[in-house]
């Protein structure tokens, strides 16, 4: 774009570029980084999805601290609890049964924890 004769070319203020960059970062960052931390109460399988029918991709030892991203209801029942926790591990998101954790929930969402379908 060339400015019209007699009119100076306008440049966007540097602040506008910062706003666009921040908006792009927020839209592409994925689930929020302010996770709640809890512990496992037993050695637990880490799975690729919210149920025992998903492959085991690792384990967490009893007493391990994990970052809770969100929760899924109506997954495979473990000990009568159908809640599964999405956890942040090594730059990816995986699932553990909520039954083996210190979250204050049983077949319900922990306080301030979103449903994974809304993240």
């Amino acid at each position: 774009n060339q400015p019209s004769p007699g009119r100076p070319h306008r440049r966007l203020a540097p602040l506008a570029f910062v706003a666009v960059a921040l908006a792009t970062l927020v839209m592409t960052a994925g689930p929020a980084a302010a996770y709640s931390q809890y512990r496992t109460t037993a050695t637990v399988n880490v799975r690729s999805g919210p149920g025992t029918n998903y492959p085991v991709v690792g384990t967490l030892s009893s007493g391990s601290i994990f970052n809770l991203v969100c929760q899924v209801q109506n997954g495979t029942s473990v000990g009568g609890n159908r809640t599964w926790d999405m956890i942040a591990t090594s730059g990816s998101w995986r699932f553990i049964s909520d039954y083996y954790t210190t979250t204050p929930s049983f077949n319900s969402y922990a306080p301030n924890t979103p449903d994974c379908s809304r993240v």
Side-chain angles (χ1 to χ4, degrees):
N1 278 338
Q2 294 293 327
S4 302
R7 291 186 74 191
H9 185 68
R10 290 187 175 180
R11 294 178 181 241
L12 290 176
L15 189 54
F17 288 111
V18 171
V20 170
L22 284 174
T24 302
L25 178 63
V26 167
M27 290 187 306
T28 60
Y35 308 127
S36 297
Q37 290 190 331
Y38 296 99
R39 291 185 182 273
T40 58
T41 58
T43 297
V44 63
N45 288 328
V46 178
R47 297 183 178 272
S48 63
T52 56
N53 56 318
Y54 289 90
V56 174
V57 295
T59 58
L60 289 178
S61 301
S62 182
S64 295
I65 295 172
F66 65 91
N67 294 315
L68 178 61
V69 177
C70 58
Q71 291 182 311
V72 173
Q73 300 300 318
N74 299 318
T76 305
S77 177
V78 176
N81 190 349
R82 299 176 66 85
T83 302
W84 284 77
D85 302 337
M86 181 188 277
I87 63 172
T89 61
S90 305
S92 62
W93 293 281
R94 302 292 186 203
F95 291 86
I96 61 174
S97 171
D98 187 68
Y99 182 76
Y100 299 109
T101 72
T102 60
T103 64
S105 59
F106 191 90
N107 287 324
S108 63
Y109 295 101
N112 302 314
T113 302
D115 180 329
C116 290
S117 67
R118 297 180 185 194
V119 177

